[in-house]
Amino acid sequence: MVDTTARTGTPLIDMRNISIAFGGIRAVDDASIDLFPGEVVALLGHNGAGKSTLIKILSGAYKRDSGQIFVNGEEASISNPRDAKKYGIETIYQTLALADNVDAAANLFLGRELMTGWGTLDDGAMEAEARKVMGRLNPRFQRFKEPVVKLSGGQRQSVAIARAILFNARILIMDEPTAALGPQETAQVGELVMQLKADGIGIFLISHDIHDVFELADRVCVMKNGQVVGTARTSDVTQDEVLGMIILGKCPPGAIPGPGALKIAA
Amino acid sequence: MTDTASNPPVAHTAEDRARESELSAIGRFLKATELDIRMLGMVGALLVIWVGIHILSGGLFLTPRNLWNLSVQTSSVAIMATGMVLVIVMRNIDLSVGSVEGVIGMVMGVAQAEFLIRVMGLQVGNPWIWIIALAAGVVLGLMIGALQGFIIAYLEVPAFIVTLGGLLIWRGMAWLMTSGRTVAPLDATFQLMGGGPRGSIGATASWIVGVLACAAVAFMLLNGRSQRKRFKFPLRPVWAESLLGVVACAAILGAVWIANSYPWPIGIVRQYAQRNGITVPEGGLFIAHGIAIPVLIAVAVGIVMTFITRRTRFGRYVFAIGGNPEAAELAGINTRWVTMKVFMIMGILAAISAAIASARLNASTNALGTLDELLVIAAAVIGGTSLAGGSGTVLGAMLGALLMQSLQSGMVLLGIDSPLQSVVVGAVLVIAVWLDTVYRKRV
Ligand SMILES: Nc1ncnc2c1ncn2[C@@H]1O[C@H](COP(=O)(O)OP(=O)(O)OP(=O)(O)O)[C@@H](O)[C@H]1O
Ligand SMILES: [Mg+2]
């Protein structure tokens, strides 16, 4: 697709030289990535490449060992999920991160409940809001009274997506948001992404589906073994070249190489 | 399916109706009333136990006197069970509640019978005595809970170990306070918390409480209905709603009636008559006990705890953390602080139970509350609290406490030796959890 985003001015998100290690494993190693308003940046890479870990640092789930995060050009201190939400960063986790034993509305508002004038939970209002937002994503969904553990995988995923878009996010992180969805629901999420993009929201999209990525993303960023192989506009590279980046770590001419790019040995 | 999109509400009700016709009569009844089958099962089990023991004991169990005593005996375990629900829902355990109850009972006893009188110079009977003693106990409970909760939540020592340590430490402390000496008698007002003829509210007040409770039930049903209407959610059928109201009110008024059918013993009536200058007529004077104060306290605690679990943010967080701790953390919930607060509540409840149990004994002994932790945990688990975390109800736990106490008192009535009582209680606990596991797999 044609890249219409003006990548000038200050980026919405600028993560610089981020590293984190678990025990001996350098899950993310000196990774830098940025995101502009109204832009969709896809994160690609093999299993265990460090994609989820990198975005979990942005969403406050993990504390980085080193590196800086800038939001709108200002250095942000994000050390827990609450901090990230204050910056308007909302996340759909790969694991969905739903409390299985409570219903959809309780999950949507978890940590940000609507209260009555008496300081008690306003379950009615929360359910009404939940019905509205779920109607946008999955109009056939009716099981509002049941704990989410009883829902299907796709329905659970819809709940997780609904939660992320409910609070007027400025930055949306989607970690494999359509992995469990049927074709119709996947298309709906695609539409949603375009709609949010038009509203000026920046989106990090993690996906293994190259086809989807080329349809939705303005840029791709490929990771391998915790390092960034390279970043490229989807208009400047072919799908095969991106596959080469993922599998071999080979950076094509249309991409800006990162620290993880295959060094051409002499 | 095409008209689903154009006219969703109609399609929805049609779908509902289709599903409803598949349900059996019982299923339809449960759906209409929104009652929990497990709760009904427990009430059923309770009734079976009551009738069984009544028959086996030759009609001794279902008497006003025995039921009234049962209600008083249940109070202290029921109160702690409501807190244990929160603890277990959060995937923790508290093995220390019996010992905490013991040490707090001792502190309150020493405070009112010795310290405030001998050291602070208050007159015996001064109303500040019971107030200060009780407040000291509650604050101590809060502090013990906070300490244990802090170690569990912030130092990340497993609750099992922390409270196992607590079980030994607080019991030891209770002994050390007086080197094992029993402290008695307690303040006269303090004693009211233990029940007995004076620690009950009498017939008239009991009826008033009963009628108010019925009014509250009616109000809650109507309020729930108007809330559902406000958001146009499906309503329960009117017959189901009325049935629930009638059954609840019948249970409340029935309980009041039973409490009011249990008269004061003759000796106390005579003393009372003498003091008030009344002549006792030929057939004796019938003065009803009415609802015992400890029972009222337990009911109040049950209502407050139900409110906390259902209607507050904190309660919602407790359940969410129990369901998926990682998700709760990612949602921005301060899970450590919630954990610590749960243990603080448990400590306060142990203090209230300690007050009731020592007031009933009219003494503080270092053995007060021994093995209560097991009864409390059993009550919560029998009442449907899942040890896997994430589910449980306050009402269920209180009914569980009543069931455990019914078994125990029943076995005493039947003259069963205490070793055999332990065998039965232990077996019931294991069977109850097994049934629960089976139930959870099927639903
Ligand atoms: N909490 C953790 N503790 C220890 N190691 C971890 C943890 N989280 C991630 N890792 C490790 O970090 C590396 C990167 O994992 P990550 O989940 O970021 O991969 P990913 O790119 O999202 O993979 P996938 O496509 O399978 O989702 C892996 O080697 C993983 O084992
Ligand atoms: Mg991942």
Side-chain angles (χ1 to χ4, degrees):
Chain A
M1 70 178 289
V2 184
D3 183 8
T4 51
T5 319
R7 244 182 326 279
T8 50
T10 38
L12 206 48
I13 292 290
D14 189 2
M15 296 177 79
R16 291 187 201 158
N17 309 103
I18 305 287
S19 297
I20 186 172
F22 296 110
I25 301 169
R26 308 186 67 140
V28 174
D29 188 2
D30 198 24
S32 300
I33 189 169
D34 57 6
L35 175 72
F36 287 82
E39 189 186 32
V40 178
V41 172
L43 255 179
L44 294 164
H46 56 80
N47 293 125
K51 308 178 295 289
S52 295
T53 307
L54 178 63
I55 57 94
K56 276 186 166 181
I57 288 171
L58 180 59
S59 71
Y62 290 149
K63 269 186 209 131
R64 59 191 181 275
D65 296 336
S66 62
Q68 289 167 299
I69 300 175
F70 294 85
V71 178
N72 274 331
E74 274 173 50
E75 180 152 17
S77 66
I78 295 175
S79 55
N80 60 47
R82 262 164 293 160
D83 292 343
K85 284 176 191 185
K86 266 183 230 146
Y87 288 106
I89 301 170
E90 293 288 336
T91 312
I92 300 156
Y93 292 98
Q94 189 169 15
T95 55
L96 303 185
L98 298 173
D100 288 323
N101 55 334
V102 297
D103 63 20
N107 267 291
L108 293 190
F109 286 92
L110 194 57
R112 291 179 284 204
E113 290 74 11
L114 300 180
M115 308 301 274
T116 63
W118 302 86
T120 59
L121 295 172
D122 196 343
D123 281 323
M126 287 193 268
E127 189 178 328
E129 286 293 320
R131 282 177 188 268
K132 257 190 248 162
V133 65
M134 287 300 288
R136 252 173 93 185
L137 287 172
N138 194 344
R140 255 175 294 168
F141 184 81
Q142 286 298 340
R143 298 165 72 183
F144 285 95
K145 288 277 183 251
E146 285 167 82
V148 296
V149 71
K150 295 197 177 169
L151 306 182
S152 76
Q155 289 171 329
R156 288 161 56 81
Q157 200 140 36
S158 303
V159 173
I161 297 172
R163 171 167 65 184
I165 62 171
L166 189 57
F167 290 94
N168 300 322
R170 289 196 300 141
I171 298 117
L172 191 60
I173 300 169
M174 307 173 99
D175 196 348
E176 305 194 23
T178 57
L181 296 186
Q184 194 185 337
E185 288 82 359
T186 301
Q188 234 144 4
V189 171
E191 266 168 43
L192 177 75
V193 167
M194 298 320 280
Q195 202 180 318
L196 294 170
K197 179 176 149 70
D199 294 343
I201 292 165
I203 298 172
F204 279 121
L205 176 68
I206 299 179
S207 175
H208 286 290
D209 187 330
I210 296 261
H211 181 74
D212 264 6
V213 163
F214 270 76
E215 200 132 286
L216 295 173
D218 302 300
R219 278 191 297 154
V220 293
C221 174
V222 177
M223 289 183 74
K224 193 173 188 322
N225 302 330
Q227 294 179 315
V228 173
V229 172
T231 313
R233 296 172 183 231
T234 41
S235 51
D236 295 348
V237 285
T238 65
Q239 295 196 10
D240 283 343
E241 283 173 330
V242 172
L243 278 174
M245 290 169 85
I246 295 170
I247 297 165
L248 305 169
K250 205 174 78 185
C251 207
I256 306 155
L262 191 68
K263 308 284 182 304
I264 316 278
Chain B
M1 223 56 239
T2 36
D3 60 17
T4 313
S6 61
N7 204 348
V10 174
H12 174 219
T13 45
E15 197 174 286
D16 267 5
R17 222 172 285 136
R19 208 184 281 168
E20 233 164 78
S21 64
E22 284 167 23
L23 297 169
S24 62
I26 299 171
R28 267 203 305 275
F29 172 79
L30 288 174
K31 187 164 189 283
T33 52
E34 295 178 10
L35 279 174
D36 180 14
I37 191 165
R38 180 209 309 268
M39 197 70 91
L40 288 180
M42 195 163 36
V43 172
L46 193 61
L47 291 180
V48 167
I49 289 172
W50 281 10
V51 171
I53 296 174
H54 187 69
I55 293 169
L56 288 176
S57 65
L60 290 178
F61 193 81
L62 293 177
T63 61
R65 176 196 151 107
N66 189 58
L67 290 176
W68 188 91
N69 278 319
L70 183 64
S71 73
V72 174
Q73 288 162 352
T74 305
S75 315
S76 93
V77 167
I79 286 170
M80 290 194 283
T82 65
M84 193 60 79
V85 171
L86 298 189
V87 171
I88 297 179
V89 161
M90 281 195 70
R91 306 185 182 190
N92 284 316
I93 195 79
D94 192 340
L95 300 174
S96 71
V97 291
S99 298
V100 172
E101 185 188 347
V103 75
I104 294 176
M106 212 66 205
V107 166
M108 290 191 297
V110 169
Q112 61 190 288
E114 296 174 1
F115 180 77
L116 289 169
I117 292 171
R118 285 193 216 140
V119 182
M120 302 306 289
L122 293 182
Q123 288 289 309
V124 173
N126 185 321
W128 282 108
I129 291 179
W130 75 268
I131 294 171
I132 295 173
L134 184 61
V138 170
V139 169
L140 180 64
L142 180 77
M143 279 168 23
I144 291 176
L147 175 65
Q148 296 191 147
F150 179 82
I151 297 172
I152 293 161
Y154 291 91
L155 307 186
E156 296 175 17
V157 183
F160 182 85
I161 297 301
V162 173
T163 58
L164 184 61
L167 170 82
L168 298 169
I169 292 168
W170 306 120
R171 185 61 68 198
M173 293 275 196
W175 194 92
L176 289 172
M177 290 246 341
T178 59
S179 310
R181 183 169 47 84
T182 294
V183 178
L186 302 184
D187 179 83
T189 314
F190 188 86
Q191 276 184 52
L192 299 182
M193 277 186 284
R198 287 191 58 235
S200 307
I201 61 173
T204 317
S206 297
W207 282 122
I208 293 174
V209 168
V211 169
L212 287 178
C214 288
V217 166
F219 172 78
M220 268 160 43
L221 287 174
L222 289 174
N223 189 42
R225 230 181 142 73
S226 72
Q227 282 292 320
R228 288 183 191 215
K229 268 193 195 140
R230 182 177 141 213
F231 293 104
K232 303 197 173 62
F233 296 156
L235 295 174
R236 273 195 285 231
V238 175
W239 67 262
E241 208 107 54
S242 320
L243 181 72
L244 284 178
V246 168
V247 169
C249 289
I252 292 167
L253 295 178
V256 171
W257 176 69
I258 290 168
N260 282 347
S261 306
Y262 176 37
W264 285 11
I266 298 171
I268 298 198
V269 171
R270 215 173 282 141
Q271 276 176 23
Y272 173 83
Q274 238 162 36
R275 221 178 301 128
N276 292 284
I278 308 169
T279 45
V280 180
E282 256 325 280
L285 194 60
F286 185 97
I287 302 178
H289 276 79
I291 307 170
I293 288 175
V295 176
L296 279 183
I297 296 175
V299 170
V301 165
I303 291 170
V304 170
M305 292 297 286
T306 301
F307 177 83
I308 288 176
T309 54
R310 291 270 186 81
R311 303 251 47 93
T312 68
R313 239 191 206 132
F314 166 75
R316 170 78 32 100
Y317 291 174
V318 168
F319 278 79
I321 293 169
N324 186 347
E326 198 204 353
E329 188 82 50
L330 291 175
I333 295 171
N334 191 342
T335 55
R336 291 167 194 257
W337 177 223
V338 174
T339 304
M340 190 165 150
K341 278 199 278 194
V342 164
F343 280 94
M344 285 156 78
I345 290 176
M346 191 69 244
I348 293 173
L349 294 175
I352 297 173
S353 292
I356 289 175
S358 57
R360 203 160 95 80
L361 273 181
N362 188 17
S364 290
T365 76
N366 60 67
L368 187 81
T370 303
L371 289 185
D372 268 10
E373 57 280 346
L374 295 183
L375 290 178
V376 169
I377 293 169
V381 170
I382 286 179
T385 309
S386 158
L387 287 167
S391 75
T393 62
V394 168
L395 179 61
M398 295 185 91
L399 282 177
L402 183 59
L403 197 147
M404 294 295 293
Q405 194 61 50
S406 300
L407 266 181
Q408 209 144 33
S409 317
M411 287 190 291
V412 172
L413 265 187
L414 296 178
I416 294 174
D417 302 335
S418 87
L420 193 53
Q421 288 180 25
S422 307
V423 171
V424 172
V425 169
V428 166
L429 177 61
V430 175
I431 292 169
V433 175
W434 171 65
L435 284 177
D436 185 53
T437 320
V438 173
Y439 171 84
R440 270 173 215 283
K441 276 203 194 117
R442 298 234 4 232
V443 171

